[in-house]
Amino acid sequence: MTLPLRERLAAPGPSETLDPQDWDEIRAQGHRMLDDMIDYVATIRGRPVWRPIPDEVRARFRAELPRQACDLDEVYREFADFIAPYATGNVHPGFMGWVHGGGTAVGMLAEMLAAGLNANLGGRDHVPIEVERQIVEWTRAMFGLPVGASGIFVTGTSMANLMAVLVARTAALGQTVRQHGVGGDGALLTAYTSTAAHGCVAKAMDLAGFGTDALRSIGVDRSHRVDVAALRAQIACDREAGLKPFLVVGSAGTVDIGATDDLQALSALCREQKLWFHVDGAYGALGVLSPALAPRLAGLENADSIALDFHKWGQVPYDAGFLIVRDGERHRAAFSAPAAYLRRETRGLAAGSPWPCDLGPDLSRGFRALKTWFTLKTYGTEKLGAMIERTCALAGYLQARILAEPRLELLAPVQLNIVCFRYRAADADSNTLNGEIVSDIQESGISAPSTTMLGGRLAIRAAIVNHRTDVVDIDALVAAVLEFGARRSSGGLTPGEPSPPLTM
Ligand SMILES: *Cc1c(COP(=O)(O)O)cnc(C)c1O
């Protein structure tokens, strides 16, 4: 009875497998893609940082679900013509917006290798998981955390911060919280961070079920570091009111201006008050790789957990967020969950417990560790540290250019690699004017700064994260701000009207 089916399946004819009919053809196509992509990165400086997406290009991505097969070559041409030219621009040395890493050719190649293995790092006994454990161990050593610390790759620091809140929650309320929910006890828990903390900390409190009201935003000093005395007072006040403080989130590199809290003071306070001390080190934590910057991160080694992104200052291609927890037991207590179909063994493919799925919400997970392993091994931490230090030196150079130019005004002290400034104008027009200048520069393709608000003033914000950024890119940004600023303030353009292209 099963024979006819077997015969039918084994019969020669067009195959249903997704493998190519002709491996030589795909090999040639693959080599072309590889060459093109290497050229793309190697010659990136010659192209605009970013360009506005033409309507007809955007419209191409509102197409019907493809039912019929199409030649890879044709699909690839669509990528080359309509996707690659309209990317964010963070590979480009002129990209200084938000906090974006530039990626590397090494990371790109590692991504291809990882895709070929198609490893699932949720669990089971295979070396890709050992590679991830190797990165956990390296990260532990990098930050001076004790043996027994536990870590995991995640999408980004937003996710790592959420997971840290969940680990701290389980540590505070006990593992029964996972069955019963946060309940009445949970309603009393309060967490603390500064007004300069990233918005994902509040979002984490929301997602964890505490609500953002349970997060106290403590004021900062002129350099955007949390006011530790005010924090202490707020904790005492909350205890007085019958609340249960459980978590303090410090920042190592704030998103607005790159400030780092006094991590030593915060860790001492947390130890004394028996609070979980988490550090959002999204981009700043990797400053430990630079001997010049590391002293500013003193106290990081006392953290109960640290969130960071290898995809920012670490230049690993997106995405490569990471959470490390000092006490691995507490990390597992927050996420491990038995399931019959995930049964562990002492031998065979189901060995090697605990698995990464015991350390976070994800079961299926990609091989983010590989591109990070390639990056750390190929460059070494000394070179990465020097590259990080250089981005700060370039920020210092931009600061010097601003201070020497009467038409520009520095809006915040430069502490790491982020510079906030504006083109001087009457206060009433300044925010609109500087917003227009940033849009003009982005649309010009010369550079890509972003904006932030500092004390009600809109700042042009340049975050030097990309390892490719050089002195000429800083000069180009300054020249563009001055040129567009002059055009805009001469009154020749109304707000919202695009500025004609610049020839520089
Ligand atoms: C980028 C950043 C985040 C968010 O990290 P993602 O990787 O984008 O999720 C959080 N905090 C700070 C300080 C950041 O710079």
Short mmCIF file of all heavy atoms in Angstrom, two decimals, residues 286-293 380-391:
data_model
loop_
_atom_site.label_atom_id
_atom_site.label_comp_id
_atom_site.label_asym_id
_atom_site.label_seq_id
_atom_site.Cartn_x
_atom_site.Cartn_y
_atom_site.Cartn_z
N LEU A 286 31.00 48.99 26.39
CA LEU A 286 32.19 48.50 25.68
C LEU A 286 33.36 49.48 25.78
O LEU A 286 34.47 49.17 25.35
CB LEU A 286 31.87 48.18 24.22
CG LEU A 286 31.08 46.89 24.00
CD1 LEU A 286 30.82 46.65 22.51
CD2 LEU A 286 31.79 45.68 24.60
N GLY A 287 33.12 50.65 26.40
CA GLY A 287 34.21 51.57 26.71
C GLY A 287 35.27 50.91 27.59
O GLY A 287 36.41 51.37 27.63
N VAL A 288 34.92 49.82 28.28
CA VAL A 288 35.93 49.13 29.11
C VAL A 288 37.10 48.63 28.26
O VAL A 288 38.17 48.35 28.80
CB VAL A 288 35.34 47.92 29.90
CG1 VAL A 288 34.31 48.38 30.92
CG2 VAL A 288 34.78 46.86 28.97
N LEU A 289 36.90 48.52 26.95
CA LEU A 289 37.98 48.03 26.09
C LEU A 289 39.07 49.09 25.88
O LEU A 289 40.15 48.77 25.39
CB LEU A 289 37.42 47.58 24.73
CG LEU A 289 36.43 46.41 24.78
CD1 LEU A 289 36.00 46.03 23.36
CD2 LEU A 289 37.03 45.21 25.50
N SER A 290 38.76 50.33 26.21
CA SER A 290 39.77 51.39 26.07
C SER A 290 40.34 51.71 27.45
O SER A 290 39.60 52.10 28.35
CB SER A 290 39.12 52.65 25.47
OG SER A 290 39.74 53.81 26.00
N PRO A 291 41.67 51.59 27.61
CA PRO A 291 42.27 51.90 28.92
C PRO A 291 41.97 53.33 29.36
O PRO A 291 41.89 53.60 30.55
CB PRO A 291 43.76 51.68 28.69
CG PRO A 291 43.86 50.80 27.49
CD PRO A 291 42.67 51.10 26.64
N ALA A 292 41.78 54.23 28.39
CA ALA A 292 41.51 55.63 28.75
C ALA A 292 40.08 55.80 29.26
O ALA A 292 39.82 56.64 30.12
CB ALA A 292 41.75 56.53 27.54
N LEU A 293 39.13 55.03 28.71
CA LEU A 293 37.73 55.21 29.09
C LEU A 293 37.31 54.33 30.27
O LEU A 293 36.39 54.65 31.01
CB LEU A 293 36.81 54.90 27.89
CG LEU A 293 37.02 55.73 26.63
CD1 LEU A 293 36.10 55.27 25.52
CD2 LEU A 293 36.78 57.22 26.93
N GLY A 380 40.62 41.73 17.86
CA GLY A 380 41.21 41.75 19.20
C GLY A 380 40.69 42.95 19.97
O GLY A 380 40.35 43.98 19.38
N THR A 381 40.64 42.82 21.28
CA THR A 381 40.02 43.89 22.07
C THR A 381 40.86 45.17 22.10
O THR A 381 40.32 46.25 22.28
CB THR A 381 39.76 43.43 23.52
OG1 THR A 381 41.00 43.00 24.08
CG2 THR A 381 38.76 42.30 23.57
N GLU A 382 42.19 45.04 21.89
CA GLU A 382 43.00 46.27 21.92
C GLU A 382 42.66 47.18 20.75
O GLU A 382 42.50 48.39 20.92
CB GLU A 382 44.49 45.91 21.88
CG GLU A 382 44.98 45.41 23.23
CD GLU A 382 46.44 45.01 23.23
OE1 GLU A 382 47.16 45.35 22.25
OE2 GLU A 382 46.85 44.36 24.20
N LYS A 383 42.52 46.59 19.59
CA LYS A 383 42.19 47.39 18.41
C LYS A 383 40.77 47.96 18.52
O LYS A 383 40.52 49.12 18.17
CB LYS A 383 42.32 46.53 17.15
CG LYS A 383 42.20 47.34 15.85
CD LYS A 383 42.53 46.48 14.65
CE LYS A 383 42.23 47.18 13.34
NZ LYS A 383 43.22 48.20 12.99
N LEU A 384 39.86 47.13 19.02
CA LEU A 384 38.49 47.62 19.19
C LEU A 384 38.47 48.78 20.20
O LEU A 384 37.77 49.78 19.99
CB LEU A 384 37.56 46.49 19.64
CG LEU A 384 37.33 45.38 18.60
CD1 LEU A 384 36.58 44.21 19.21
CD2 LEU A 384 36.57 45.91 17.38
N GLY A 385 39.24 48.64 21.27
CA GLY A 385 39.31 49.70 22.27
C GLY A 385 39.88 50.98 21.68
O GLY A 385 39.39 52.09 21.95
N ALA A 386 40.91 50.84 20.84
CA ALA A 386 41.52 52.02 20.21
C ALA A 386 40.52 52.69 19.27
O ALA A 386 40.44 53.93 19.20
CB ALA A 386 42.78 51.61 19.46
N MET A 387 39.74 51.88 18.55
CA MET A 387 38.74 52.43 17.63
C MET A 387 37.67 53.20 18.42
O MET A 387 37.26 54.30 18.04
CB MET A 387 38.13 51.25 16.84
CG MET A 387 36.92 51.55 15.99
SD MET A 387 35.37 51.43 16.87
CE MET A 387 35.34 49.69 17.29
N ILE A 388 37.25 52.63 19.54
CA ILE A 388 36.25 53.29 20.39
C ILE A 388 36.79 54.62 20.92
O ILE A 388 36.12 55.66 20.89
CB ILE A 388 35.85 52.33 21.54
CG1 ILE A 388 34.92 51.24 21.00
CG2 ILE A 388 35.21 53.09 22.70
CD1 ILE A 388 34.66 50.08 21.96
N GLU A 389 38.04 54.58 21.35
CA GLU A 389 38.68 55.79 21.88
C GLU A 389 38.76 56.88 20.80
O GLU A 389 38.56 58.06 21.07
CB GLU A 389 40.09 55.41 22.33
CG GLU A 389 40.60 56.23 23.48
CD GLU A 389 41.92 55.63 23.99
OE1 GLU A 389 41.91 54.46 24.43
OE2 GLU A 389 42.93 56.33 23.90
N ARG A 390 39.02 56.45 19.57
CA ARG A 390 39.15 57.41 18.48
C ARG A 390 37.81 58.10 18.18
O ARG A 390 37.79 59.29 17.85
CB ARG A 390 39.67 56.71 17.22
CG ARG A 390 39.91 57.68 16.08
CD ARG A 390 40.55 57.00 14.89
NE ARG A 390 40.31 57.77 13.66
CZ ARG A 390 41.01 58.84 13.31
NH1 ARG A 390 42.00 59.25 14.07
NH2 ARG A 390 40.72 59.50 12.20
N THR A 391 36.70 57.38 18.32
CA THR A 391 35.41 58.05 18.09
C THR A 391 35.22 59.17 19.11
O THR A 391 34.64 60.21 18.79
CB THR A 391 34.21 57.07 18.16
OG1 THR A 391 34.12 56.51 19.48
CG2 THR A 391 34.32 55.96 17.13
#
